[in-house]
Amino acid sequence: GAVVSQHPSRVICKSGTSVKIECRSLDFQATTMFWYRQFPKRSLMLMATSNEGSKATYEQGVEKDKFLINHASLTLSTLTVTSAHPEDGSFYICSLWAVEFYGYTFGSGTRLTVV
Amino acid sequence: DAKTTQPPSMDCAEGRAANLPCNHSTISGNEYVYWYRQIHSQGPQYIIHGLKNNETNEMASLIITEDRKSSTLILPHATLRDTAVYYCIVVWWTDKLIFGTGTRLQVFP
């Protein structure tokens, strides 16, 4: 399947700072990427759809100013958690859709802890 | 909201077949059935998908009923490494994946 590289795998940041998570498609040009959030022992919750060259589409209830998504190239989408607070701590996962790889491929996830 | 219903948990003995059911009674004609699994603290892993016909690959088999209102994922010889949460998702091609609660499969020795 398509290889999706997500970085960092773990990050600890201080409350009030911003954190950027990168999602790279290593072998495919992805026009669309998806960002998910997952709380412990819960299912994945779709946050937003990231479209290359245009603004991301956020799901209802997701704060656009808190979770900034940039998809500036066909191989890179970034999620920036701004002014992070402890309640923003979670497991964030990116995904891309590629017809050559049966549909959807996921990154390995980023565990964010805010202290 | 997720369009599928799965049992919250199942157990399976190592070496035996694991049969994971999924109900998707409101599936539309052009929606696919996808199965993913997630091992603890990792991103979901693709298993298999299908539209109407039964499908088989090196990981699993997917049996879709004729009316397409339900399906079963079959892991033919479960191993301890198959312990994970399994998600059945109904989705139109290229649309966003909406995850339900999944089935937590525990494979025991």
Side-chain angles (χ1 to χ4, degrees), chain B residues 63-95:
Chain B
I63 308 298
I64 302 175
T65 58
E66 192 169 344
D67 62 8
R68 303 210 322 127
K69 292 185 177 182
S70 66
S71 60
T72 301
L73 177 74
I74 301 173
L75 306 179
H77 305 286
T79 70
L80 298 178
R81 288 181 296 178
D82 291 323
T83 293
V85 178
Y86 287 76
Y87 295 99
C88 167
I89 304 170
V90 166
V91 63
W92 181 81
W93 197 241
T94 77
D95 204 357

CSV table of all heavy atoms in Angstrom, one decimal, chain B residues 63-95:
chain,number,residue,atom,x,y,z
B,63,ILE,N,-17.0,-11.8,3.4
B,63,ILE,CA,-18.2,-12.4,2.9
B,63,ILE,C,-19.3,-11.3,3.0
B,63,ILE,O,-19.6,-10.9,4.1
B,63,ILE,CB,-18.6,-13.7,3.6
B,63,ILE,CG1,-17.5,-14.6,3.7
B,63,ILE,CG2,-19.9,-14.3,3.0
B,63,ILE,CD1,-17.0,-15.1,2.4
B,64,ILE,N,-19.9,-11.0,1.9
B,64,ILE,CA,-21.0,-10.0,1.9
B,64,ILE,C,-22.3,-10.7,1.5
B,64,ILE,O,-22.3,-11.4,0.5
B,64,ILE,CB,-20.7,-8.8,0.8
B,64,ILE,CG1,-19.4,-8.2,1.2
B,64,ILE,CG2,-21.8,-7.8,0.8
B,64,ILE,CD1,-18.9,-7.1,0.2
B,65,THR,N,-23.3,-10.5,2.3
B,65,THR,CA,-24.6,-11.1,1.9
B,65,THR,C,-25.1,-10.6,0.6
B,65,THR,O,-24.8,-9.5,0.2
B,65,THR,CB,-25.6,-10.9,3.1
B,65,THR,OG1,-25.8,-9.5,3.3
B,65,THR,CG2,-25.1,-11.6,4.4
B,66,GLU,N,-26.0,-11.4,0.1
B,66,GLU,CA,-26.6,-11.0,-1.2
B,66,GLU,C,-27.3,-9.7,-1.2
B,66,GLU,O,-27.2,-8.9,-2.2
B,66,GLU,CB,-27.5,-12.1,-1.7
B,66,GLU,CG,-27.9,-12.0,-3.2
B,66,GLU,CD,-28.6,-13.3,-3.7
B,66,GLU,OE1,-28.5,-14.3,-3.1
B,66,GLU,OE2,-29.2,-13.2,-4.8
B,67,ASP,N,-28.0,-9.4,-0.1
B,67,ASP,CA,-28.7,-8.1,0.0
B,67,ASP,C,-27.8,-7.0,0.4
B,67,ASP,O,-28.2,-5.9,0.6
B,67,ASP,CB,-29.9,-8.2,0.9
B,67,ASP,CG,-29.5,-8.6,2.4
B,67,ASP,OD1,-28.3,-8.6,2.7
B,67,ASP,OD2,-30.4,-8.8,3.2
B,68,ARG,N,-26.5,-7.3,0.7
B,68,ARG,CA,-25.5,-6.4,1.1
B,68,ARG,C,-25.7,-5.7,2.4
B,68,ARG,O,-25.1,-4.7,2.8
B,68,ARG,CB,-25.3,-5.3,0.0
B,68,ARG,CG,-24.9,-5.9,-1.3
B,68,ARG,CD,-24.0,-5.0,-2.2
B,68,ARG,NE,-24.3,-3.6,-2.1
B,68,ARG,CZ,-23.4,-2.7,-1.8
B,68,ARG,NH1,-22.1,-3.1,-1.6
B,68,ARG,NH2,-23.7,-1.4,-1.8
B,69,LYS,N,-26.7,-6.2,3.2
B,69,LYS,CA,-27.0,-5.6,4.5
B,69,LYS,C,-26.1,-6.0,5.6
B,69,LYS,O,-26.1,-5.5,6.7
B,69,LYS,CB,-28.4,-5.8,4.8
B,69,LYS,CG,-29.4,-5.1,3.9
B,69,LYS,CD,-30.8,-5.2,4.3
B,69,LYS,CE,-31.7,-4.5,3.4
B,69,LYS,NZ,-33.2,-4.5,3.8
B,70,SER,N,-25.3,-7.0,5.4
B,70,SER,CA,-24.3,-7.4,6.4
B,70,SER,C,-23.1,-8.1,5.7
B,70,SER,O,-23.2,-8.5,4.6
B,70,SER,CB,-25.0,-8.4,7.4
B,70,SER,OG,-25.3,-9.6,6.8
B,71,SER,N,-22.1,-8.2,6.5
B,71,SER,CA,-20.9,-8.8,6.0
B,71,SER,C,-20.1,-9.5,7.2
B,71,SER,O,-20.4,-9.2,8.3
B,71,SER,CB,-19.9,-7.8,5.3
B,71,SER,OG,-19.5,-6.8,6.2
B,72,THR,N,-19.2,-10.4,6.8
B,72,THR,CA,-18.4,-11.0,7.8
B,72,THR,C,-16.9,-11.0,7.4
B,72,THR,O,-16.6,-11.4,6.2
B,72,THR,CB,-18.8,-12.5,8.0
B,72,THR,OG1,-20.2,-12.5,8.4
B,72,THR,CG2,-18.0,-13.2,9.1
B,73,LEU,N,-16.1,-10.6,8.2
B,73,LEU,CA,-14.6,-10.7,8.0
B,73,LEU,C,-14.1,-12.0,8.6
B,73,LEU,O,-14.4,-12.3,9.8
B,73,LEU,CB,-13.9,-9.5,8.6
B,73,LEU,CG,-12.4,-9.5,8.5
B,73,LEU,CD1,-12.0,-9.2,7.1
B,73,LEU,CD2,-11.7,-8.6,9.5
B,74,ILE,N,-13.4,-12.7,7.8
B,74,ILE,CA,-12.9,-14.0,8.3
B,74,ILE,C,-11.4,-14.0,8.3
B,74,ILE,O,-10.7,-13.8,7.3
B,74,ILE,CB,-13.4,-15.2,7.5
B,74,ILE,CG1,-14.9,-15.2,7.5
B,74,ILE,CG2,-12.8,-16.5,8.0
B,74,ILE,CD1,-15.5,-16.3,6.5
B,75,LEU,N,-10.8,-14.2,9.5
B,75,LEU,CA,-9.4,-14.4,9.6
B,75,LEU,C,-9.2,-15.9,9.8
B,75,LEU,O,-9.6,-16.5,10.8
B,75,LEU,CB,-8.8,-13.7,10.9
B,75,LEU,CG,-9.1,-12.2,11.0
B,75,LEU,CD1,-8.5,-11.7,12.3
B,75,LEU,CD2,-8.6,-11.5,9.8
B,76,PRO,N,-8.7,-16.6,8.8
B,76,PRO,CA,-8.8,-18.1,8.8
B,76,PRO,C,-8.0,-18.8,9.9
B,76,PRO,O,-8.5,-19.8,10.4
B,76,PRO,CB,-8.2,-18.4,7.4
B,76,PRO,CG,-7.4,-17.2,7.0
B,76,PRO,CD,-8.0,-16.1,7.6
B,77,HIS,N,-6.9,-18.3,10.3
B,77,HIS,CA,-6.1,-18.9,11.3
B,77,HIS,C,-5.6,-17.8,12.2
B,77,HIS,O,-4.5,-17.3,12.0
B,77,HIS,CB,-4.9,-19.7,10.7
B,77,HIS,CG,-5.4,-20.7,9.7
B,77,HIS,ND1,-6.0,-21.9,10.1
B,77,HIS,CD2,-5.3,-20.7,8.4
B,77,HIS,CE1,-6.3,-22.6,9.0
B,77,HIS,NE2,-5.9,-21.9,7.9
B,78,ALA,N,-6.3,-17.4,13.2
B,78,ALA,CA,-6.0,-16.3,14.0
B,78,ALA,C,-4.7,-16.6,14.8
B,78,ALA,O,-4.5,-17.7,15.3
B,78,ALA,CB,-7.1,-16.0,15.0
B,79,THR,N,-3.9,-15.5,14.9
B,79,THR,CA,-2.7,-15.6,15.8
B,79,THR,C,-2.8,-14.5,16.8
B,79,THR,O,-3.6,-13.6,16.8
B,79,THR,CB,-1.4,-15.4,14.9
B,79,THR,OG1,-1.4,-14.0,14.5
B,79,THR,CG2,-1.4,-16.3,13.7
B,80,LEU,N,-1.9,-14.6,17.8
B,80,LEU,CA,-1.9,-13.6,18.9
B,80,LEU,C,-1.7,-12.2,18.3
B,80,LEU,O,-2.2,-11.2,18.9
B,80,LEU,CB,-0.8,-13.9,19.9
B,80,LEU,CG,-0.9,-15.2,20.6
B,80,LEU,CD1,0.2,-15.4,21.6
B,80,LEU,CD2,-2.3,-15.3,21.4
B,81,ARG,N,-1.0,-12.1,17.2
B,81,ARG,CA,-0.8,-10.7,16.6
B,81,ARG,C,-2.0,-10.2,15.9
B,81,ARG,O,-2.0,-9.0,15.5
B,81,ARG,CB,0.4,-10.8,15.6
B,81,ARG,CG,1.7,-11.0,16.2
B,81,ARG,CD,2.8,-11.1,15.2
B,81,ARG,NE,2.7,-12.3,14.3
B,81,ARG,CZ,3.5,-12.6,13.3
B,81,ARG,NH1,4.4,-11.7,13.0
B,81,ARG,NH2,3.3,-13.6,12.6
B,82,ASP,N,-3.0,-11.0,15.8
B,82,ASP,CA,-4.3,-10.5,15.3
B,82,ASP,C,-5.2,-9.8,16.3
B,82,ASP,O,-6.2,-9.3,16.0
B,82,ASP,CB,-5.1,-11.6,14.6
B,82,ASP,CG,-4.4,-12.1,13.4
B,82,ASP,OD1,-3.8,-11.3,12.6
B,82,ASP,OD2,-4.5,-13.4,13.1
B,83,THR,N,-4.7,-9.8,17.6
B,83,THR,CA,-5.4,-9.1,18.6
B,83,THR,C,-5.4,-7.6,18.3
B,83,THR,O,-4.4,-7.0,18.2
B,83,THR,CB,-4.8,-9.3,20.0
B,83,THR,OG1,-5.0,-10.7,20.3
B,83,THR,CG2,-5.4,-8.4,21.1
B,84,ALA,N,-6.6,-7.0,18.1
B,84,ALA,CA,-6.7,-5.6,17.7
B,84,ALA,C,-8.2,-5.2,17.7
B,84,ALA,O,-9.1,-6.0,18.0
B,84,ALA,CB,-6.2,-5.5,16.3
B,85,VAL,N,-8.4,-3.9,17.4
B,85,VAL,CA,-9.8,-3.5,17.2
B,85,VAL,C,-10.1,-3.5,15.7
B,85,VAL,O,-9.3,-2.9,14.9
B,85,VAL,CB,-10.0,-2.1,17.8
B,85,VAL,CG1,-11.4,-1.6,17.5
B,85,VAL,CG2,-9.7,-2.1,19.3
B,86,TYR,N,-11.1,-4.1,15.3
B,86,TYR,CA,-11.5,-4.3,13.9
B,86,TYR,C,-12.7,-3.4,13.6
B,86,TYR,O,-13.7,-3.4,14.2
B,86,TYR,CB,-11.8,-5.7,13.6
B,86,TYR,CG,-10.6,-6.6,13.6
B,86,TYR,CD1,-10.0,-7.0,14.7
B,86,TYR,CD2,-10.0,-7.0,12.4
B,86,TYR,CE1,-8.8,-7.8,14.8
B,86,TYR,CE2,-8.8,-7.8,12.3
B,86,TYR,CZ,-8.3,-8.1,13.6
B,86,TYR,OH,-7.1,-8.9,13.5
B,87,TYR,N,-12.5,-2.6,12.5
B,87,TYR,CA,-13.5,-1.6,12.1
B,87,TYR,C,-14.1,-2.0,10.7
B,87,TYR,O,-13.3,-2.2,9.8
B,87,TYR,CB,-12.9,-0.2,12.0
B,87,TYR,CG,-12.4,0.4,13.3
B,87,TYR,CD1,-11.1,0.4,13.7
B,87,TYR,CD2,-13.4,1.0,14.2
B,87,TYR,CE1,-10.7,0.9,14.8
B,87,TYR,CE2,-12.9,1.5,15.4
B,87,TYR,CZ,-11.6,1.5,15.7
B,87,TYR,OH,-11.1,2.1,16.9
B,88,CYS,N,-15.4,-2.0,10.7
B,88,CYS,CA,-16.1,-2.2,9.4
B,88,CYS,C,-16.7,-0.9,9.0
B,88,CYS,O,-17.4,-0.2,9.8
B,88,CYS,CB,-17.2,-3.3,9.7
B,88,CYS,SG,-18.5,-3.4,8.4
B,89,ILE,N,-16.4,-0.4,7.9
B,89,ILE,CA,-16.8,0.9,7.4
B,89,ILE,C,-17.4,0.8,6.1
B,89,ILE,O,-16.9,0.2,5.2
B,89,ILE,CB,-15.6,1.9,7.4
B,89,ILE,CG1,-14.9,1.9,8.7
B,89,ILE,CG2,-16.0,3.3,7.0
B,89,ILE,CD1,-13.5,2.6,8.7
B,90,VAL,N,-18.6,1.5,5.9
B,90,VAL,CA,-19.2,1.6,4.7
B,90,VAL,C,-19.0,3.0,4.1
B,90,VAL,O,-19.2,4.0,4.8
B,90,VAL,CB,-20.8,1.4,4.8
B,90,VAL,CG1,-21.5,1.8,3.6
B,90,VAL,CG2,-21.0,-0.1,5.2
B,91,VAL,N,-18.5,3.1,2.9
B,91,VAL,CA,-18.1,4.4,2.3
B,91,VAL,C,-18.2,4.4,0.8
B,91,VAL,O,-18.0,3.4,0.1
B,91,VAL,CB,-16.7,4.7,2.7
B,91,VAL,CG1,-15.7,3.7,2.2
B,91,VAL,CG2,-16.3,6.1,2.3
B,92,TRP,N,-18.6,5.5,0.3
B,92,TRP,CA,-18.6,5.7,-1.2
B,92,TRP,C,-17.2,6.0,-1.6
B,92,TRP,O,-16.4,6.7,-0.9
B,92,TRP,CB,-19.5,6.9,-1.5
B,92,TRP,CG,-19.6,7.1,-3.0
B,92,TRP,CD1,-20.4,6.5,-3.9
B,92,TRP,CD2,-18.9,8.1,-3.7
B,92,TRP,NE1,-20.2,7.0,-5.2
B,92,TRP,CE2,-19.3,8.0,-5.1
B,92,TRP,CE3,-17.9,9.1,-3.4
B,92,TRP,CZ2,-18.7,8.7,-6.1
B,92,TRP,CZ3,-17.4,9.8,-4.4
B,92,TRP,CH2,-17.8,9.7,-5.7
B,93,TRP,N,-16.8,5.5,-2.7
B,93,TRP,CA,-15.5,5.6,-3.3
B,93,TRP,C,-15.0,7.0,-3.2
B,93,TRP,O,-15.6,7.9,-3.7
B,93,TRP,CB,-15.5,5.1,-4.7
B,93,TRP,CG,-14.2,4.8,-5.3
B,93,TRP,CD1,-13.6,5.4,-6.4
B,93,TRP,CD2,-13.3,3.8,-5.0
B,93,TRP,NE1,-12.4,4.8,-6.8
B,93,TRP,CE2,-12.2,3.8,-5.9
B,93,TRP,CE3,-13.3,2.8,-4.0
B,93,TRP,CZ2,-11.1,2.9,-5.8
B,93,TRP,CZ3,-12.2,2.0,-3.9
B,93,TRP,CH2,-11.1,2.0,-4.8
B,94,THR,N,-13.8,7.2,-2.5
B,94,THR,CA,-13.1,8.5,-2.3
B,94,THR,C,-13.7,9.4,-1.2
B,94,THR,O,-13.1,10.4,-0.9
B,94,THR,CB,-13.0,9.4,-3.6
B,94,THR,OG1,-14.2,10.0,-3.9
B,94,THR,CG2,-12.6,8.6,-4.8
B,95,ASP,N,-14.8,9.0,-0.7
B,95,ASP,CA,-15.4,9.8,0.4
B,95,ASP,C,-14.6,9.6,1.7
B,95,ASP,O,-13.7,8.7,1.8
B,95,ASP,CB,-16.8,9.4,0.6
B,95,ASP,CG,-17.6,10.5,1.2
B,95,ASP,OD1,-17.0,11.6,1.6
B,95,ASP,OD2,-18.9,10.4,1.4
